[in-house]
Structure formats: C-alpha cells, structure tokens
Amino acid sequence: MAPLVLYHFPVSPPSRSTLLVIRSLELDVEVKILNLLAGEHMQEDFLKINPQHTVPTIVDDDYVLWESKAIATYLVEQYKPDSALYPTDPKERGIVNQRLYFDSTVLFARTFAIVAPIMRQGATTIPQEKKDALKEALGTLNGYLEGQEWVAGVNCTVADLCLVATVSTLDKLGVDLTEFANIIDWYERCKALPGYDENEEGANAFGGFIKSKLEEPY
Ligand SMILES: N[C@@H](CCC(=O)N[C@@H](CS)C(=O)NCC(=O)O)C(=O)O
C-alpha cells in the first residue's frame, strides 16, 4: 500500500496541526511541500486532488481528504481507534468536536481575519476591534482550561493539537498571552508533544513574516 501523503505548507497553522496528529499517531507519511506563496497549490495536478486548493490535504491510498479537523479525526479513527486523542465515548467526543469547531470558527477564524489583510492586501496595522475579538476568543480558551490540563479534559486530544497550532502562531506574531495563565501552562505542556519542534519552526516563520510587516509590534 502507498504511504500516507500529506500536502503541507509548514507556515500554515491547519497544515501544522495535521502533522502534529500524524506525529502523535506515529504514522509513516510522505510530506509534499506546496509553497502557497509561489502558487504551487494552484497547479493543475494539485487542483485535480483538491479543487478547493487548500492545505492540509491527505491522500491515503485512493482516499483524499482535506479540512484539518476532518483529517485529524479520520486519522485516529482509521489508524488508532482506541487512542485517547479522539475518545469513543459520545459525550467526551462531543466536547472534543466542540473544541475543534471552536478553533475553526472562532480562534483560527479570528486569527485569519487579522493576518489575511497583512498577507494579501499589504495592511501594516491591525484594527483594534479585531484585536478585541481575538482577546475574547483567548479568554474563552483560557476558560476551557480552568482546572484541567487539556482543552477537552484529562487527556490530550486532537483538539489540543489543532488549537496549539493556532496559539503558537499567535505567540510568535507577538500576541501577549500573559493574562491567560491557563493557556500559558497548557502551551508549555504542548511543547513536549511529538513533532512540536516542526510546529514551532513553522510558527516562527509565519510569526516573523507578520511581525516584519507591522508598523508597530502587536
Ligand atoms: N478550514 C481549513 C483551512 C485550510 C486553509 O485555508 N488553508 C490555507 C493555508 S492556512 C490554504 O490552503 N490557503 C490556500 C487557498 O485557500 O487557496 C482547514 O482547517 O484545513
């Protein structure tokens, strides 16, 4: 059987979260880097695989999937269905899913709303209302972590792997996390996860790029 293939761009937070899941599951993978800045995701060969031209995208034998959270849950269910990374109890799984959607629709969405104008339209400042919206989302995440080590309870799950890809990006672009004590403790814990160094490298590259475009530090 062909190895699992990941189309990946190391600076992309969702793409990095997929690699964190792959590393935690200890799966063999062939990583194919697509340089989004050079438009490699718009090449015909990749569009045939994913017409939505996003990373991460996986090809698992004859099965193609994109959307980082769908990939994360698929990989656990397919390869390590008993793993605590995606609990089988419906109520526990429900909480993990809620945290995954929180990243997609709130934390990463608000991060994206900040970085997209800088990357795509040459913006050099960040509107205060976007900073406020991000701060509110970080407050919510801090609340999830009250009295527990991981975002969905006692075990590290795919939700932690997705959320830390976003939070590390925010940290590296200069967002001050000091008022979010639970996030800071959890973030330190996440740094020991398999493959974290790769995540950090990508977050540093992305954060450094955004920082270099800003008129004043975040
Ligand atoms: N919701 C998607 C977001 C994927 C996404 O937007 N990836 C960006 C990089 S961060 C991308 O591939 N952009 C290229 C494009 O949309 O053409 C996920 O979680 O996988």
Side-chain angles (χ1 to χ4, degrees), residues 100-136:
L100 289 173
Y101 294 134
F102 168 76
D103 187 39
S104 274
T105 61
V106 181
L107 192 65
F108 179 68
R110 292 182 191 185
T111 301
F112 188 75
I114 285 174
V115 298
I118 299 168
M119 292 185 307
R120 296 180 177 172
Q121 288 137 25
T124 56
T125 56
I126 301 167
Q128 189 57 44
E129 65 268 21
K130 289 191 178 178
K131 289 187 175 182
D132 292 345
L134 180 67
K135 197 168 172 178
E136 189 205 37

Side-chain angles (χ1 to χ4, degrees), residues 12-14 36 41-42 52-56 67-69 108 120:
S12 155
L36 267 50
H41 59 312
M42 301 307 288
Q52 207 181 317
H53 47 78
T54 51
V55 293
E67 280 296 334
S68 56
K69 279 64 176 175
F108 179 68
R120 296 180 177 172

Side-chain angles (χ1 to χ4, degrees), residues 6-189:
L6 169 66
Y7 288 89
H8 177 57
F9 185 43
V11 304
S12 155
S15 204
R16 277 187 271 120
S17 75
T18 298
L19 204 50
L20 283 169
V21 174
I22 288 171
R23 299 309 186 205
S24 271
L25 293 173
E26 300 180 309
L27 301 178
D28 285 336
V29 66
E30 181 185 347
V31 178
K32 294 192 178 179
I33 305 280
L34 285 181
N35 185 345
L36 267 50
L37 300 175
E40 288 175 1
H41 59 312
M42 301 307 288
Q43 287 171 2
E44 207 181 321
D45 285 357
F46 184 60
L47 290 176
K48 278 188 197 145
I49 295 168
N50 175 357
Q52 207 181 317
H53 47 78
T54 51
V55 293
T57 295
I58 59 162
V59 180
D60 192 9
D61 207 10
D62 58 356
Y63 181 69
V64 177
L65 193 64
W66 58 92
E67 280 296 334
S68 56
K69 279 64 176 175
I71 295 171
T73 56
Y74 162 75
L75 288 175
V76 180
E77 292 190 282
Q78 177 71 1
Y79 291 105
K80 303 254 169 88
D82 297 330
S83 168
L85 281 174
Y86 196 45
T88 50
D89 174 79
K91 289 183 176 159
E92 288 178 25
R93 181 167 283 200
I95 299 292
V96 174
N97 288 336
Q98 184 272 321
R99 305 310 197 230
L100 289 173
Y101 294 134
F102 168 76
D103 187 39
S104 274
T105 61
V106 181
L107 192 65
F108 179 68
R110 292 182 191 185
T111 301
F112 188 75
I114 285 174
V115 298
I118 299 168
M119 292 185 307
R120 296 180 177 172
Q121 288 137 25
T124 56
T125 56
I126 301 167
Q128 189 57 44
E129 65 268 21
K130 289 191 178 178
K131 289 187 175 182
D132 292 345
L134 180 67
K135 197 168 172 178
E136 189 205 37
L138 286 168
T140 303
L141 177 60
N142 199 60
Y144 293 155
L145 287 160
E146 187 63 40
Q148 58 187 38
E149 294 204 342
W150 301 101
V151 298
V154 293
N155 293 313
C156 177
T157 69
V158 288
D160 295 281
L161 305 184
C162 290
L163 281 157
V164 79
T166 304
V167 168
S168 54
T169 304
L170 294 170
D171 175 39
K172 300 301 179 186
L173 71 80
V175 175
D176 183 8
L177 298 172
T178 47
E179 74 179 274
F180 304 110
N182 298 334
I183 295 182
I184 294 209
D185 291 349
W186 162 83
Y187 185 32
E188 284 309 307
R189 233 168 269 133

